[in-house]
Amino acid sequence: MIDQPADRPRLLVVEDEPSICALLESTLRLTGYEVGSAGTGRAALAEIERSNPQLVLLDVMLPDLDGFEVTRRLRVAGNDIPVLFLTARTGLDDRIAGLGAGGDDYVSKPFSPEEVLLRIEAILRRTGARATAPEPEHTVRRYADLELDADAHEVHRAGQYVRLSPTEFKLLAYLMANAGRVLTKAQILDHVWNYDFAGDSRIIDTYIRYLRKKIDSFHPPLIHTVRGVGYCLRLPRKAGGGQ
Ligand code: CA
């Protein structure tokens, strides 16, 4: 069970294609967002009014009001909720129309969940509603047989000293501070490398590989890849139930 802080932002997914809607909902919940959904433009307006989410993922092609019209109505009503358009249209005119209608960014279909997460986090960061993972508070943090001493800058696994580089140490400290919770690559980049959204996330994969060689040469493995999303430090699930 993922431990979710109460202050994770609430998002609304507006999408009339059930499979895309379900994919987005499950991905966003997995990374700790509270998620609602709507299948039409009018339902979206009603849901935004009712639940006051912090960001809306808004499909452009909807059965009633299109995404641009939904956004225009929100802005006319004085609602400045950030809008991330989901669009099958890739033309520049559509992009301008979308941003002119008061949207904050857009992703073109087909998109990867990871790309959507990166855009969401970038918007939330810009609008100040960003979800921040908690900072380490304790000098010594333990998870399973892993122990990290922040003051001494030392890591032990199963009682054995593990030598880490400063970046590996910082990455492990961040994973341990959020043990059991999936961290997106954007969160990791931002926290460990202080990069903005444009940073190259492949550096994370490289350092995760270094860290695995040192930390997960022991058993069981603790660093897990969550495909299309990011990484999670936790004990393995039962065989067959892994991700
Ligand atoms: Ca649609």
Side-chain angles (χ1 to χ4, degrees), residues 47-68:
E47 186 58 25
I48 290 166
E49 175 84 31
R50 192 189 68 76
S51 66
N52 193 28
Q54 281 169 275
L55 182 148
V56 57
L57 284 81
L58 184 56
D59 186 26
V60 171
M61 301 294 280
L62 291 166
D64 54 351
L65 311 173
D66 72 22
F68 301 149

Side-chain angles (χ1 to χ4, degrees), residues 9-13 24-29 33-37:
R10 180 175 173 77
L11 311 180
L12 179 68
V13 177
L24 287 170
E25 279 192 273
S26 62
T27 304
L28 294 171
R29 287 211 179 94
Y33 290 106
E34 257 193 78
V35 190
S37 67

Side-chain angles (χ1 to χ4, degrees), residues 2-240:
I2 295 169
D3 187 24
Q4 295 181 5
D7 62 348
R8 288 294 279 175
R10 180 175 173 77
L11 311 180
L12 179 68
V13 177
V14 184
E15 170 60 77
D16 59 316
E17 174 58 46
S19 62
I20 298 176
C21 194
L23 171 70
L24 287 170
E25 279 192 273
S26 62
T27 304
L28 294 171
R29 287 211 179 94
L30 187 66
T31 50
Y33 290 106
E34 257 193 78
V35 190
S37 67
T40 67
R42 289 183 204 285
L45 288 169
E47 186 58 25
I48 290 166
E49 175 84 31
R50 192 189 68 76
S51 66
N52 193 28
Q54 281 169 275
L55 182 148
V56 57
L57 284 81
L58 184 56
D59 186 26
V60 171
M61 301 294 280
L62 291 166
D64 54 351
L65 311 173
D66 72 22
F68 301 149
E69 178 59 22
V70 170
T71 307
R72 275 188 208 101
R73 292 193 185 192
L74 285 168
R75 300 303 183 242
V76 165
N79 189 326
D80 62 354
I81 180 175
V83 172
L84 175 60
F85 286 116
L86 309 172
T87 175
R89 303 169 170 184
T90 52
L92 189 60
D93 289 350
D94 287 322
R95 184 185 178 193
I96 291 166
L99 299 179
D104 292 85
D105 202 352
Y106 76 110
V107 282
S108 302
K109 297 176 185 175
F111 47 73
S112 70
E114 187 180 346
E115 185 187 359
V116 174
L117 286 166
L118 286 167
R119 298 298 175 95
I120 289 171
E121 285 165 17
I123 292 173
L124 291 179
R125 185 157 45 218
R126 283 204 299 273
T127 58
R130 178 179 166 218
T132 330
E135 292 286 337
E137 289 157 15
H138 311 292
T139 306
V140 179
R141 191 173 287 280
R142 290 184 186 83
Y143 184 83
D145 60 353
L146 190 58
E147 186 179 291
L148 181 142
D149 185 328
D151 284 349
H153 226 263
E154 281 185 358
V155 171
H156 290 83
R157 178 138 195 218
Q160 292 185 48
Y161 175 68
V162 182
R163 183 185 299 276
L164 297 182
S165 74
T167 301
E168 291 163 355
F169 186 90
K170 205 170 168 188
L171 176 58
L172 182 64
Y174 186 52
L175 289 169
M176 284 183 76
N178 295 280
R181 181 171 160 198
V182 180
L183 293 172
T184 65
K185 290 186 181 179
Q187 286 175 314
I188 295 172
L189 259 188
D190 190 55
H191 192 95
V192 179
W193 280 271
N194 304 321
Y195 282 9
D196 199 356
F197 151 63
D200 186 346
S201 67
R202 277 174 303 186
I203 195 170
I204 300 171
D205 305 327
T206 303
Y207 272 87
I208 288 282
R209 207 159 56 235
Y210 296 158
L211 207 48
R212 276 184 170 139
K213 273 188 191 152
K214 298 179 177 180
I215 297 298
D216 284 349
S217 58
F218 296 81
H219 286 280
L222 295 176
I223 300 169
H224 301 271
T225 303
V226 181
R227 270 181 81 101
V229 182
Y231 294 99
C232 180
L233 185 132
R234 58 167 168 74
L235 287 162
R237 302 207 172 108
K238 291 201 172 85

